[in-house]
């Protein structure tokens, strides 16, 4: 887990329907982080259906069926 101010964080779910051009990342501690999809050029290129086909691994990583790249919670939080 990503250590952020002595708190262990993980990813529960992703949501691309919060607002246009944004991705919501729901964390295991109950917080929601909204980041611009432009931070992740590969994800930005995906269709809506491809974005919905994501997988979360070990609460720390996420990827998409259409991508070979694996992103981590550290990529989202910059920690």
């Amino acid at each position: 887990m990503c250590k952020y101010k002595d708190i262990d964080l993980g990813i529960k779910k992703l949501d691309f329907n919060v607002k246009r051009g944004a991705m919501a990342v729901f964390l295991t501690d109950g917080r929601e982080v909204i980041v611009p999809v432009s931070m992740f050029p590969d994800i930005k290129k995906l269709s809506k259906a491809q974005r919905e086909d994501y997988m979360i691994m070990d609460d720390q990583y996420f990827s998409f069926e259409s991508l070979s790249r694996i992103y981590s919670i550290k990529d989202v939080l910059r920690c």
Side-chain angles (χ1 to χ4, degrees), residues 3-29:
K3 277 286 213 186
Y4 191 75
K5 296 186 181 181
D6 298 323
I7 299 173
D8 290 329
L9 296 175
I11 301 169
K12 281 176 71 173
K13 108 178 184 179
L14 306 177
D15 185 358
F16 293 91
N17 298 313
V18 285
K19 71 178 194 176
R20 187 178 176 106
M23 171 176 71
V25 181
F26 293 87
L27 304 177
T28 54
D29 69 351

Side-chain angles (χ1 to χ4, degrees), residues 11-73:
I11 301 169
K12 281 176 71 173
K13 108 178 184 179
L14 306 177
D15 185 358
F16 293 91
N17 298 313
V18 285
K19 71 178 194 176
R20 187 178 176 106
M23 171 176 71
V25 181
F26 293 87
L27 304 177
T28 54
D29 69 351
R31 289 184 285 171
E32 175 184 345
V33 178
I34 298 175
V35 295
V37 178
S38 61
M39 284 177 54
F40 307 96
D42 292 341
I43 297 173
K44 186 176 180 180
K45 293 177 186 175
L46 297 177
S47 70
K48 182 176 180 174
Q50 289 173 317
R51 288 179 186 176
E52 295 299 325
D53 195 13
Y54 68 86
M55 61 196 103
I56 297 172
M57 300 158 283
D58 295 331
D59 292 340
Q60 292 297 295
Y61 308 96
F62 63 96
S63 189
F64 299 82
E65 190 66 38
S66 302
L67 292 178
S68 60
R69 180 163 180 185
I70 297 173
Y71 299 91
S72 81
I73 190 169

